[in-house]
Amino acid sequence: MNSHIRRSMPLFPIGIVMQLTDLSARQIRYYEEHGLVSPARTEGNRRLFSFNDVDRLLEIKDLIEQGVNLAGIKQIFAARQQQHTETTPSVAPKVMKQDLSEEELRKLLRAELMEAGRFNRASLRQGDIARFFH
Amino acid sequence: MNSHIRRSMPLFPIGIVMQLTDLSARQIRYYEEHGLVSPARTEGNRRLFSFNDVDRLLEIKDLIEQGVNLAGIKQIFAARQQQHTETTPSVAPKVMKQDLSEEELRKLLRAELMEAGRFNRASLRQGDIARFFH
DNA sequence: AAAAATATGTGATGAAATATAACATATCAT
DNA sequence: ATGATATGTTATATTTCATCACATATTTTT
């Protein structure tokens, strides 16, 4: 299961994320400043958000609308994270992936897409990037 | 099935598409100039590509690598389009959607996401934008 | 109540990403 | 050899985004 690669691939500039989440740039940056999201950066220092990042922002927005303040949200995320590490059968504490450069991530995805695409593409049917973000 | 909405939502700036497809900006713009892709535009006239657009570009790249020239690709796409309309049981030739503004598209998606997210988000599990791009 | 902290808006300034256009060039077909 | 195709390269303008500083409304704390 490498869906987590697809989901953590930096894809969206802040402008799109604003529209997707209905949050202001100020808010998004502020949340980042407080460690609630950690978007990647381009070489030129522009933020690039992944699906996971956008997800996270939607959760933050939700919680804020329910009156939770940033400190609270931080705790909630921390708790979830902890529960995760507890629950997770840490079988192979080897070299957890995760430390792939954005470049590598994209190459990986592209490889996947190309490969998978051959079927449809060869037979001239419509291609399918989107399908792979299940 | 409104996956086509998700797939046709303008999301990516050209820089990301370049990395996703390994095409140069020049190439991408040239293909657009010849009607092989039609990315949306921001208010400020910047191109915004959808999953479908990226898919299309990957197909174009594939065909070009196989020696097909742009005229050929155009024909191939046209043929596919025609076959589609032939095959398609055009039951309801009513007001085919498709003519939604980008704004509306995003609002729709956001609505979907928010709604669907409530389940997981409420129980504090990880959200799920990516899942909706199946 | 006054002061401090939180969360966000707004504006200035600079840099990065992208747009268009023009010209160069390599490859291919005629 | 000539012309068309496809792409690279460079110049210039515009848009989008980054950071920072200051303003402000709301809570929280003292």
Side-chain angles (χ1 to χ4, degrees):
Chain A
M1 205 93 71
N2 46 7
S3 66
H4 95 280
I5 287 185
R6 301 190 275 267
R7 300 185 33 136
S8 63
M9 184 171 38
L11 291 175
F12 313 109
I14 201 171
I16 294 292
V17 177
M18 288 171 63
Q19 298 179 86
L20 249 28
T21 61
D22 251 334
L23 292 169
S24 70
R26 182 67 163 96
Q27 288 177 297
I28 296 172
R29 295 188 187 120
Y30 188 69
Y31 301 153
E32 177 187 15
E33 190 180 339
H34 288 266
L36 297 182
V37 271
S38 301
R41 298 281 181 138
T42 67
E43 260 191 30
N45 200 38
R46 258 83 194 283
R47 270 165 266 255
L48 274 192
F49 299 77
S50 66
F51 279 110
N52 276 339
D53 291 329
V54 179
D55 255 5
R56 213 142 213 269
L57 287 171
L58 286 174
E59 290 191 73
I60 293 171
K61 191 189 178 191
D62 214 45
L63 290 169
I64 283 191
E65 278 165 3
Q66 290 172 26
V68 183
N69 64 11
L70 294 209
I73 298 177
K74 207 175 299 189
Q75 290 304 316
I76 291 172
F77 285 171
R80 175 191 308 167
Q81 162 63 23
Q82 206 205 348
Q83 194 201 15
H84 225 268
T85 52
E86 275 174 11
T87 310
T88 290
S90 75
V91 258
K94 352 190 68 171
V95 190
M96 271 306 248
K97 61 290 172 196
Q98 197 62 351
D99 35 4
L100 297 166
S101 75
E102 305 170 32
E103 265 309 311
E104 296 177 293
L105 276 179
R106 292 216 187 72
K107 292 221 172 111
L108 268 178
L109 176 72
R110 236 186 303 138
E112 268 185 61
L113 292 171
M114 295 306 280
E115 196 196 306
R118 298 236 173 282
F119 297 109
N120 302 332
R121 202 136 56 236
S123 63
L124 294 182
R125 274 190 59 261
Q126 198 107 248
D128 268 284
I129 277 219
R131 180 143 54 79
F132 289 86
F133 287 85
H134 70 240
Chain B
M1 203 92 70
N2 47 10
S3 66
H4 95 279
I5 288 186
R6 301 189 276 267
R7 299 183 34 137
S8 63
M9 183 170 41
L11 290 175
F12 313 109
I14 200 170
I16 294 292
V17 176
M18 288 171 64
Q19 298 180 84
L20 249 28
T21 61
D22 250 334
L23 292 169
S24 70
R26 182 67 162 95
Q27 287 177 296
I28 296 172
R29 295 186 187 122
Y30 188 69
Y31 301 153
E32 178 187 15
E33 189 180 340
H34 288 266
L36 297 182
V37 270
S38 302
R41 298 280 181 140
T42 67
E43 261 192 29
N45 199 38
R46 260 122 155 113
R47 270 166 265 254
L48 273 192
F49 298 78
S50 67
F51 279 109
N52 277 339
D53 291 329
V54 179
D55 253 5
R56 211 138 214 270
L57 287 171
L58 286 174
E59 291 189 73
I60 293 171
K61 192 190 178 190
D62 215 44
L63 291 169
I64 283 192
E65 278 165 4
Q66 288 171 27
V68 184
N69 64 13
L70 293 209
I73 298 177
K74 207 174 298 187
Q75 289 306 315
I76 290 171
F77 285 173
R80 176 190 308 165
Q81 162 63 23
Q82 206 205 347
Q83 194 201 15
H84 225 267
T85 51
E86 275 175 11
T87 311
T88 289
S90 74
V91 259
K94 353 190 65 172
V95 189
M96 271 306 248
K97 62 295 170 193
Q98 197 61 354
D99 35 5
L100 297 165
S101 76
E102 306 169 31
E103 266 308 312
E104 296 177 293
L105 276 178
R106 292 216 189 72
K107 292 221 172 113
L108 268 177
L109 176 73
R110 235 186 304 137
E112 269 185 58
L113 292 172
M114 295 306 280
E115 195 195 307
R118 298 234 174 284
F119 296 108
N120 302 330
R121 205 141 50 238
S123 62
L124 295 181
R125 275 190 58 262
Q126 198 105 246
D128 267 281
I129 277 216
R131 180 142 55 77
F132 290 84
F133 288 85
H134 69 241

